[in-house]
Amino acid sequence: MSSKGSDLTKRKESVLTPRIEQETLLQELKDKIQRSAFDMRKFLEDEQTILVLIKTTEMISELRTSALSPKNYFELYSFLLNELRNVESYLDEQVKTGLSAQELYKVVQFTGQVIPRLYLLITAGSVLINTEEVPIKDILQDLNKMCRGIQHPTRGIFLRYYLTQMVKDKLPDITTQNSEMHGTVEDSINFIISNFIEMNKLWIRMQHQTPFGNLSEIGKKYVHTMLGKERTELGMLVGTNLSRLAQLEGVTVEIYSQNVLPLILHQIIDCNDKIAQEYLFVVMIQAFPDEFHLETLETLLKSLEELNPNVDIKEILQELMQRLVIYFKTNRAAENQEHKIFTTFSDSISRISQKKVLKQTDLLIILRCLLQIGFSLNLNRIDYVDYVFQSAFRLLNNEIIKQDDSNVVTQMIQEVIQSYNNVIVLIEIESFPHLTNLLPLAEQRKIANNLIENVLKSQTIIEEIEKLQRFFNLIQILLNHPINQNDLQFDSDFQKEQSALCKVIHFFYSDDIEKYFLIFQLLIKELNGTGKVRMKNYIFPLIFSGLKLAQKMRENERNKSEFSISFNQLFDSISTILENLINFFPEVAFKLFLQTAQAANKCRLEKVAYEMMLKAITIYGDVFSLRETQFKMLFSIISTLFTLNYIGNEYFSFLAVQCAIHSKKLVQPIHQAKAICCCSRFFYLQDSLIPTNSLENSQNQKRSIQFHDDKKLVGCLSKAIRIASSSIEFPVSLESLFEILDVCLIFFETQKTNINIEYINTLIELIIQVKEKNQSQPQVLFPQNSLVFINQMIRKFIKKKKGEKKEIYLEINFQKLKKTFN
Amino acid sequence: MSSKKQKKFISLIFDNFENLQKKEISDKKKKKELPIFSDGETISGTVIIDQKHNKKQIIEKIQIQFIGQIRMLYEKGTTHDFIKITKNLNEKNKIEIHQEYTFNFQNCQMKYESYHGINAKLDYLIRVIIQKQSKTDTQDFKIWVNNIKKAPKKNDSIKMEVGIPNSLDMRIGIEKSKFHLLDVVLGEVSYLKVKIRLKYMEVSIIKREVTGTGTIIYTESETLTKFEIMDGSVVKGEKIPIRFFLESLNITPTYQNIDNKFSVNYYLNIVLVDEENRRYFKECEIYFFRNSLDSKNKKTLFSKSFFEFSQK
């Protein structure tokens, strides 16, 4: 081969010019086309075919430029396209009136320049197809082959784009006439695919054929970036082929999988170009129907693995999977297909994951898509979820380092929670806790809270111990994450989550005692020892759970069921929990001991109830006897004791005395008087005499044991009177005395105690004395409400003289009392 | 050519002129149509002598000659007659004012074709010679000879592997090496290795006329067309089609050593131009033969005029 240095025909070769120059140049070229087009249209009207062709050649010649960016070239092309369409329809008309289309097809090939020649050839080819003189297959093949003359990427792509545009509506399909001239849909497929292959080759070549010229390094880099960008824009033209292919009716799923897809994939894989592979794969997925992808899923996924390692497979997989998810929403996969689809995806993902070409976050995103596929296929297959979680767990290799990763995992888990909306199902997912545990604390808490919310919302009752254990495994974080004590007040989330947790505990029970006991033990195991701060919250639901169990046991006892566990065991457990609590939260322990005592009483566990009361009293003695709330506390004990109707006399007496002793130790005399007066009632205890306010919780219970200790009764009342008259200031002392009198009258009415007529009258005298003694001190103001109270009492007493037992009141001088206070 | 309109002293009418194929040539800037004959054909016609406007002269002898001659333009007027047949038209001395003579050259040997080249011209003519007492009048009537050849039995394809060491390797394939004049050159250029950036590729047809003998040899090369077949920088593995319609060219068959005077050969030249405007080319000879007379398959006005433009 010889070479000569000089050349006369110098062509301006491209170096990307600045934007303004580009625009100027584009305008210039447009103007030139415009001028030729003007002449062309004139000849067109005069039907001077030769001149029309000559002017058309002139116009097309402007497409030979190398100086325009792809975007501007596109504009120039579009500008020209309008004119070329006019020429085409003109030639079409000419052929109808006698011009030989075959002659035309030949003659345009005389053109010396390759670009105008091929544009004209395509135009003539389009006209020739219309005549049906030559088999369309031959024309298409010929055009395809001749277009190889353009090896310049941009110019070649546009030429071939013109080709697709011109023959677009002429391609044979199964809906079109089938004959030798018209061709078959296979002809169309072959044509489009080979055109696609050629366009793609040119497109890829753009990346490697940069007109660097004498650019500096920075300049080269700039050009490279610009080209990459503009190249991506040209991808659309390449993708047109795939869209057109998909539009062919004749491309059935069989033809697609056997003839079309292998060719497309081969080309995409073979080109080994990142941009092309990414773009075309997505276009292919978008262009063809989802049914096709399902049919060819395995091939499709395997080919993904063969792509250039730099390709973002994630984007492609995501596109495919998300489309299928939507598809499955309206088109259920056949049952026998479901599993195959899922495993095809999962196998592929696992292979991709092993290759380590994808970033961890991307793999997680894909797993999330797989999860959605699983959902859309069959929500009942929790093994799918389990698979995804396990995969994610293995992938993360026991730790999460990046925020992105944890976000994806969290989303994934939350989607699972939302999709099932049923904790009973969720806890079956073995790998759920493993995966959750890898998340940062905040995310773990969020998920645990979601689960709890779910139980609350759906009112799901968990009775199986295994399930409950699993549930606790899932929400473990809430029970043990570190708490910043100082910040606790501000951590409203913590309060919210703990109160939700407390609520949820109420959903763990069973009507089966054995099961319930196991649940209760589990609750103790899980909750006890979670620390002071948490225990303060959990203790109530925990103890109430125990008490509810006790109640259920009692109910079942009536049905004569037998259980392997005893009440004592149960109450022992409760008691142990409470004792551990005394040091931290005595008040809570105190209240709960009282509650437990009542419960034990209901269960007719005399001794247990007694012990619980004793514990409450001990706490009171140790902790509360010096507090301001002591009176209220003591009254809780007293009123509880009234309800314990199954406690035998011996225990009862002891507890009552304890109450009385503590009453005397109260700080304020008025409280002492009230409490002792109240205690007095323990010592003559009959059904009718139990104070109504303490009966609230034990409406239907009758005290089975009668208790009467007259000595202690009189002792209490006398002590109360003494305190009221001597230690309490006037006029409050009067109120106290009236109250005591009221109580005394109760015992008096029974006529079975030592509170006799003398005792009553003495007390009345004492009241009058106290009144009169203090009346001499005018500075003491008698408060109106005291007076009202006293007058009410007096009216009540006087009424008794007319009541059922009026005969015993004959010798009691209420009138004098009335007189004194008038 | 006949001279019916303008009464000339000597004119000639070929038999069946209207039905003969014609060749249009330009002779001294005038367009003429010549009848086309082929080797072995009989040339017959009528010579008309018209003395109406001339003084009546005594004509001693009228002869008619069939001549094949070659003229080398650089030899200034020297002609080499490679064939000459002479016949007497009149035996008597007497001649009328208007006299017609029929002539007939049986089965003329015309193995060379008429050719008008740059340095060489090959013509066939019918010469009428009228010898008078005082002077001799001669008049030449050209004919055009085209010889149809059968397609050669052996017509090898052209296969060439060419390149530049380490940077270019290509294979040129042309379906055949011998073409008739309205044939299409079909082929393909396959690139096996491309390490240079090419700008375009074109094919051209070169006509080479070699005249003279011995030490004096004149070679005239003429590029008949440049036909771009590829635009842009090609890469390895690509195959670029060649399709070139010879119809669009004015060519003659290949002439090999005509009467030891001249040869006309044609070459296909493949030219590559790289981005630095360096040219690389590969030439190979192709042979043309005639399988039909020129005017058969005459180009339509349509294609011809488009061609003329497209070659600009």
Side-chain angles (χ1 to χ4, degrees):
Chain A
M1 191 149 229
S2 331
S3 117
K4 254 193 256 172
S6 67
D7 179 27
L8 297 172
T9 57
K10 281 203 171 178
R11 290 190 191 190
K12 204 176 166 189
E13 200 43 66
S14 69
V15 169
L16 286 185
T17 44
R19 195 172 60 86
I20 294 176
E21 266 180 60
Q22 284 270 314
E23 280 170 13
T24 319
L25 185 63
L26 175 62
Q27 197 51 51
E28 267 172 29
L29 293 172
K30 275 184 174 178
D31 290 347
K32 278 189 192 167
I33 291 179
Q34 190 100 62
R35 278 196 294 277
S36 304
F38 181 80
D39 293 340
M40 187 272 290
R41 284 194 288 263
K42 200 177 70 203
F43 295 133
L44 210 124
E45 270 172 38
D46 299 345
E47 299 194 39
Q48 291 180 281
T49 305
I50 296 298
L51 294 171
V52 167
L53 289 179
I54 289 170
K55 286 294 162 189
T56 308
T57 309
E58 262 177 38
M59 293 194 302
I60 302 169
S61 296
E62 306 307 336
L63 286 183
R64 298 171 76 212
T65 179
S66 297
L68 290 179
S69 69
K71 189 168 162 265
N72 286 326
Y73 195 87
F74 185 80
E75 201 175 330
L76 190 68
Y77 166 85
S78 310
F79 189 75
L80 179 66
L81 184 66
N82 290 329
E83 303 299 339
L84 288 179
R85 288 206 183 279
N86 286 336
V87 175
E88 192 215 6
S89 52
Y90 167 79
L91 291 174
D92 230 19
E93 282 304 308
Q94 288 297 305
V95 164
K96 277 177 196 149
T97 56
L99 177 70
S100 160
Q102 292 181 52
E103 182 71 12
L104 178 69
Y105 191 75
K106 180 173 85 181
V107 164
V108 293
Q109 296 187 61
F110 295 178
T111 315
Q113 293 176 350
V114 66
I115 285 188
R117 175 164 74 240
L118 294 178
Y119 273 92
L120 282 174
L121 187 66
I122 292 168
T123 316
S126 168
V127 172
L128 185 55
I129 291 172
N130 289 346
T131 65
E132 300 175 9
E133 290 169 6
V134 179
I136 184 168
K137 178 181 167 186
D138 296 346
I139 302 172
L140 293 176
Q141 266 177 6
D142 192 50
L143 291 174
N144 216 334
K145 177 179 157 194
M146 294 317 284
C147 283
R148 293 213 301 262
I150 310 299
Q151 292 290 321
H152 183 276
T154 313
R155 293 196 285 268
I157 287 173
F158 275 96
L159 177 76
R160 286 183 177 276
Y161 183 55
Y162 181 66
L163 175 57
T164 50
Q165 279 188 304
M166 290 306 273
V167 301
K168 195 167 68 182
D169 306 326
K170 303 182 171 81
L171 292 176
D173 201 345
I174 45 167
T175 49
T176 60
Q177 200 182 335
N178 196 345
S179 72
E180 199 199 336
M181 291 302 167
H182 289 95
T184 61
V185 70
E186 280 79 18
D187 299 336
S188 300
I189 295 170
N190 293 337
F191 165 72
I192 297 172
I193 288 182
S194 54
N195 193 46
F196 163 71
I197 290 173
E198 293 298 329
M199 277 176 99
N200 191 36
K201 282 200 280 192
L202 291 167
W203 189 41
I204 289 150
R205 211 180 290 167
M206 274 187 85
Q207 193 68 13
H208 313 293
Q209 293 191 351
T210 321
F212 278 144
N214 296 322
L215 287 175
S216 65
E217 278 306 312
I218 297 170
K220 280 180 191 172
K221 204 175 167 192
Y222 170 77
V223 167
H224 224 87
T225 327
M226 287 304 291
L227 263 188
K229 206 175 131 199
E230 295 194 312
R231 214 198 116 189
T232 316
E233 288 167 1
L234 279 184
M236 189 198 81
L237 306 186
V238 184
T240 314
N241 288 298
L242 297 181
S243 317
R244 184 64 189 93
L245 209 48
Q247 283 161 8
L248 288 174
E249 299 272 342
V251 177
T252 58
V253 69
E254 290 79 23
I255 289 178
Y256 174 77
S257 56
Q258 283 158 28
N259 304 342
V260 176
L261 185 68
L263 293 174
I264 298 178
L265 285 180
H266 183 260
Q267 172 61 18
I268 295 180
I269 291 167
D270 237 29
C271 77
N272 198 30
D273 176 87
K274 174 176 154 31
I275 296 181
Q277 291 184 334
E278 281 173 11
Y279 181 78
L280 294 175
F281 232 103
V282 171
V283 167
M284 185 172 71
I285 290 167
Q286 288 169 345
F288 290 99
D290 298 325
E291 291 90 339
F292 288 21
H293 301 323
L294 278 179
E295 193 61 36
T296 57
L297 200 54
E298 205 160 335
T299 320
L300 207 57
L301 294 176
K302 283 223 167 95
S303 63
L304 264 186
E305 297 162 35
E306 295 176 49
L307 298 184
N308 183 309
N310 296 320
V311 166
D312 189 355
I313 313 177
K314 181 205 74 180
E315 285 293 325
I316 300 170
L317 265 176
Q318 222 180 342
E319 175 70 30
L320 176 62
M321 291 167 101
Q322 283 173 354
R323 280 181 73 93
L324 289 180
V325 166
I326 295 168
Y327 174 77
F328 288 138
K329 276 182 187 157
T330 43
N331 307 271
R332 269 256 11 219
E335 221 164 287
N336 54 351
Q337 286 294 306
E338 277 173 7
H339 192 61
K340 190 159 177 286
I341 293 166
F342 186 84
T343 48
T344 308
F345 269 118
S346 60
D347 291 351
S348 169
I349 291 168
S350 123
R351 285 193 302 269
I352 289 168
S353 152
Q354 277 160 17
K355 282 189 184 168
K356 300 196 188 304
V357 287
L358 277 188
K359 282 185 288 180
Q360 190 163 288
T361 313
D362 289 346
L363 274 171
L364 286 172
I365 290 173
I366 290 172
L367 283 174
R368 189 178 153 207
C369 290
L370 180 62
L371 186 69
Q372 287 161 349
I373 289 272
F375 287 161
S376 60
L377 282 171
N378 189 344
L379 204 57
N380 295 328
R381 296 293 299 255
I382 60 163
D383 54 325
Y384 292 166
V385 180
D386 199 40
Y387 175 86
V388 172
F389 280 7
Q390 269 180 34
S391 306
F393 180 73
R394 277 199 302 272
L395 180 69
L396 292 165
N397 199 15
N398 259 324
E399 59 179 335
I400 287 187
I401 297 156
K402 280 182 295 179
Q403 174 75 40
D404 287 351
D405 291 0
S406 77
N407 286 349
V408 180
V409 172
T410 308
Q411 281 166 352
M412 198 146 87
I413 295 172
Q414 279 176 337
E415 275 163 15
V416 171
I417 296 174
Q418 278 158 22
S419 298
Y420 287 105
N421 199 22
N422 182 353
V423 171
I424 297 295
V425 178
L426 293 173
I427 55 182
E428 295 299 328
I429 305 166
E430 301 272 357
S431 48
F432 197 126
H434 304 152
L435 185 61
T436 315
N437 288 344
L438 298 183
L439 288 172
L441 178 65
E443 307 294 346
Q444 287 196 44
R445 280 173 69 179
K446 208 192 281 175
I447 286 163
N449 284 323
N450 283 341
L451 289 171
I452 287 174
E453 267 165 41
N454 190 281
V455 176
L456 293 177
K457 225 187 225 168
S458 59
Q459 311 244 318
T460 310
I461 291 157
I462 303 181
E463 338 185 25
E464 304 299 326
I465 185 74
E466 296 83 11
K467 288 180 181 171
L468 188 59
Q469 181 62 62
R470 282 186 174 157
F471 181 77
F472 270 104
N473 292 345
L474 290 182
I475 60 159
Q476 202 53 240
I477 190 71
L478 299 183
L479 302 175
N480 59 22
H481 68 73
I483 307 163
N484 182 352
Q485 289 275 12
N486 304 326
D487 220 20
L488 216 51
Q489 277 154 329
F490 305 104
D491 190 353
S492 64
D493 283 351
F494 177 77
Q495 294 304 342
K496 253 186 243 163
E497 85 183 18
Q498 293 300 318
S499 81
L501 183 55
C502 289
K503 275 185 211 157
V504 91
I505 292 171
H506 294 296
F507 288 95
F508 308 147
Y509 65 85
S510 172
D511 288 331
D512 181 326
I513 301 299
E514 307 289 345
K515 281 184 183 173
Y516 198 164
F517 186 66
L518 290 173
I519 289 171
F520 181 60
Q521 281 182 321
L522 181 66
L523 288 177
I524 297 171
K525 187 189 101 193
E526 294 292 339
L527 301 177
N528 216 359
T530 51
K532 188 174 143 185
V533 180
R534 286 193 172 82
M535 233 8 227
K536 190 180 175 186
N537 293 304
Y538 306 153
I539 188 66
F540 290 98
L542 177 60
I543 296 301
F544 282 115
S545 173
L547 298 183
K548 192 168 163 189
L549 170 58
Q551 187 187 339
K552 280 198 187 289
M553 283 168 73
R554 187 174 60 85
E555 282 162 10
N556 280 314
E557 203 178 33
R558 288 195 199 132
N559 302 336
K560 293 189 178 149
S561 323
E562 285 187 6
F563 340 112
S564 54
I565 37 137
S566 68
F567 280 116
N568 284 333
Q569 270 175 295
L570 176 60
F571 281 100
D572 273 356
S573 308
I574 295 173
S575 175
T576 315
I577 299 164
L578 290 177
E579 270 174 51
N580 290 336
L581 207 67
I582 295 171
N583 288 333
F584 305 118
F585 308 111
E587 194 168 342
V588 174
F590 169 80
K591 279 180 191 163
L592 290 173
F593 271 125
L594 291 181
Q595 291 276 359
T596 312
Q598 279 184 318
N601 175 67
K602 279 179 200 164
C603 300
R604 309 184 184 193
L605 300 171
E606 178 195 19
K607 188 158 181 280
V608 175
Y610 164 74
E611 279 166 1
M612 295 299 145
M613 285 306 287
L614 215 51
K615 290 213 165 97
I617 291 167
T618 313
I619 296 170
Y620 173 83
D622 293 350
V623 184
F624 300 117
S625 54
L626 295 172
R627 293 208 184 157
E628 282 178 22
T629 51
Q630 51 170 248
F631 176 67
K632 212 177 131 201
M633 295 290 165
L634 188 57
F635 249 84
S636 304
I637 299 175
I638 292 168
S639 51
T640 305
L641 189 54
F642 276 116
T643 65
L644 304 181
N645 52 351
Y646 285 106
I647 292 192
N649 286 351
E650 194 183 332
Y651 290 140
F652 187 81
S653 163
F654 184 78
L655 292 173
V657 170
Q658 288 298 315
C659 288
I661 291 168
H662 280 296
S663 299
K664 285 177 203 158
K665 287 183 187 164
L666 286 167
V667 176
Q668 290 184 37
I670 181 160
H671 288 158
Q672 289 174 6
K674 259 191 190 168
I676 295 168
C677 178
C678 203
C679 285
S680 68
R681 301 177 65 169
F682 288 133
F683 299 107
Y684 183 76
L685 207 52
Q686 304 292 332
D687 285 344
S688 57
L689 294 179
I690 295 170
T692 45
N693 61 339
S694 3
L695 268 170
E696 272 166 4
N697 293 327
S698 50
Q699 286 280 309
N700 299 319
Q701 291 171 28
K702 298 211 165 175
R703 185 165 169 78
S704 49
I705 297 156
Q706 312 290 310
F707 186 68
H708 188 186
D709 187 335
D710 212 39
K711 193 178 155 208
K712 288 196 174 96
L713 171 69
V714 176
C716 282
L717 287 172
S718 304
K719 180 74 182 166
I721 293 165
R722 203 156 49 243
I723 293 165
S725 58
S726 60
S727 309
I728 303 176
E729 278 181 25
F730 185 82
V732 184
S733 55
L734 276 180
E735 284 177 43
S736 265
L737 287 169
F738 268 98
E739 277 170 5
I740 296 166
L741 176 58
D742 190 31
V743 173
C744 285
L745 288 175
I746 294 169
F747 295 118
F748 172 70
E749 274 185 17
T750 64
Q751 292 286 307
K752 284 177 182 160
T753 65
N754 281 336
I755 307 303
N756 48 27
I757 196 150
E758 290 81 21
Y759 197 93
I760 300 296
N761 278 336
T762 316
L763 182 54
I764 291 171
E765 283 303 320
L766 180 66
I767 291 169
I768 294 167
Q769 265 177 36
V770 172
K771 164 80 167 73
E772 281 172 354
K773 181 176 148 202
N774 285 295
Q775 230 164 16
S776 51
Q777 299 169 322
Q779 71 272 26
V780 177
L781 214 66
F782 209 92
Q784 185 64 32
N785 55 353
S786 278
L787 204 60
V788 169
F789 172 73
I790 288 166
N791 281 325
Q792 267 176 1
M793 291 300 258
I794 292 170
R795 271 200 297 282
K796 185 182 161 191
F797 297 151
I798 291 172
K799 234 184 202 168
K800 290 185 187 286
K801 292 200 128 190
K802 294 168 187 168
E804 271 177 51
K805 299 187 173 173
K806 54 186 176 188
E807 65 279 4
I808 63 169
Y809 286 103
L810 283 172
E811 291 175 48
I812 293 176
N813 199 353
F814 290 132
Q815 291 304 327
K816 189 175 177 188
L817 206 57
K818 193 184 172 188
K819 228 162 136 190
T820 319
F821 286 95
N822 264 335
Chain B
M1 192 165 242
S2 82
S3 52
K4 275 181 178 173
K5 289 169 194 168
Q6 199 187 353
K7 293 276 183 182
K8 278 187 177 175
F9 176 49
I10 304 167
S11 52
L12 190 150
I13 300 168
F14 290 103
D15 286 348
N16 198 25
F17 180 80
E18 297 301 324
N19 295 328
L20 289 173
Q21 306 284 347
K22 307 291 188 311
K23 163 79 177 177
E24 191 182 80
I25 59 156
S26 52
D27 193 20
K28 289 163 193 163
K29 292 182 181 175
K30 272 192 274 175
K31 286 206 168 177
K32 282 186 179 175
E33 273 197 329
L34 303 184
I36 297 176
F37 292 95
S38 296
D39 187 23
E41 277 185 344
T42 298
I43 302 167
S44 63
T46 308
V47 176
I48 301 158
I49 313 287
D50 203 329
Q51 300 192 83
K52 207 172 186 176
H53 302 291
N54 290 311
K55 266 188 178 172
K56 195 175 170 187
Q57 288 181 18
I58 310 288
I59 294 167
E60 291 183 342
K61 195 176 172 188
I62 301 173
Q63 281 185 316
I64 190 156
Q65 290 180 320
F66 166 73
I67 300 169
Q69 62 180 206
I70 295 170
R71 206 150 32 111
M72 302 315 236
L73 297 184
Y74 49 87
E75 284 176 352
K76 295 186 180 167
T78 322
T79 58
H80 307 272
D81 294 345
F82 54 88
I83 187 162
K84 188 185 243 178
I85 301 167
T86 310
K87 282 185 176 181
N88 287 330
L89 282 183
N90 70 328
E91 297 302 324
K92 303 168 192 173
N93 255 347
K94 185 187 169 197
I95 195 160
E96 299 296 320
I97 293 169
H98 179 89
Q99 188 87 43
E100 295 188 359
Y101 304 93
T102 57
F103 67 91
N104 187 339
F105 293 100
Q106 283 286 334
N107 305 330
C108 295
Q109 195 188 11
M110 299 178 278
K111 61 175 180 179
Y112 305 134
E113 286 201 338
S114 301
Y115 171 71
H116 288 178
I118 295 171
N119 283 328
K121 252 186 167 184
L122 192 153
D123 274 313
Y124 289 93
L125 45 93
I126 304 292
R127 179 171 288 164
V128 181
I129 305 166
I130 300 176
Q131 282 181 8
K132 296 175 189 169
Q133 281 174 319
S134 52
K135 61 165 183 176
T136 303
D137 286 335
T138 61
Q139 182 88 41
D140 289 350
F141 298 93
K142 278 189 185 171
I143 62 166
W144 193 262
V145 172
N146 277 353
N147 286 327
I148 294 171
K149 294 260 172 73
K150 276 184 190 165
K153 277 177 188 161
K154 195 162 177 260
N155 195 347
D156 293 331
S157 59
I158 300 173
K159 283 191 181 115
M160 296 180 287
E161 197 167 328
V162 290
I164 308 162
N166 298 324
S167 55
L168 187 69
D169 190 2
M170 57 194 262
R171 190 178 291 151
I172 301 165
I174 308 289
E175 279 182 9
K176 49 191 182 184
S177 49
K178 294 165 184 162
F179 303 89
H180 65 79
L181 300 182
L182 300 175
D183 219 339
V184 189
V185 179
L186 293 173
E188 196 171 63
V189 178
S190 322
Y191 286 89
L192 308 174
K193 181 198 278 175
V194 188
K195 295 217 166 146
I196 50 171
R197 300 277 292 271
L198 294 176
K199 200 153 69 173
Y200 64 94
M201 170 167 68
E202 58 185 26
V203 289
S204 51
I205 307 282
I206 292 169
K207 176 183 175 186
R208 206 159 281 157
E209 184 189 274
V210 181
T211 49
T213 45
T215 48
I216 312 158
I217 290 177
Y218 297 88
T219 305
E220 290 289 338
S221 281
E222 193 185 349
T223 301
L224 298 183
T225 180
K226 280 181 180 172
F227 190 74
E228 191 183 25
I229 56 167
M230 184 188 84
D231 168 43
S233 185
V234 71
V235 297
K236 186 178 111 175
E238 291 292 346
K239 289 179 177 154
I240 309 302
I242 299 173
R243 181 188 294 163
F244 181 72
F245 289 85
L246 293 174
E247 184 179 339
S248 64
L249 296 180
N250 267 322
I251 46 172
T252 67
T254 300
Y255 298 136
Q256 223 37 281
N257 196 19
I258 301 297
D259 202 39
N260 283 324
K261 292 282 186 302
F262 71 95
S263 296
V264 178
N265 298 85
Y266 289 92
Y267 299 87
L268 183 73
N269 193 20
I270 298 202
V271 183
L272 304 178
V273 178
D274 73 9
E275 291 196 337
E276 268 115 59
N277 287 323
R278 281 191 296 255
R279 294 169 70 88
Y280 310 89
F281 57 89
K282 175 70 188 177
E283 200 177 81
C284 69
E285 185 167 10
I286 49 176
Y287 300 90
F288 294 149
F289 63 93
R290 188 185 306 279
N291 76 340
S292 65
L293 292 184
D294 254 9
S295 50
K296 277 181 196 167
N297 289 327
K298 192 178 171 187
K299 278 166 241 162
T300 58
L301 182 66
F302 173 67
S303 54
K304 198 176 172 187
S305 48
F306 181 70
F307 159 72
E308 277 163 9
F309 163 75
S310 66
Q311 296 296 305
K312 279 177 199 165

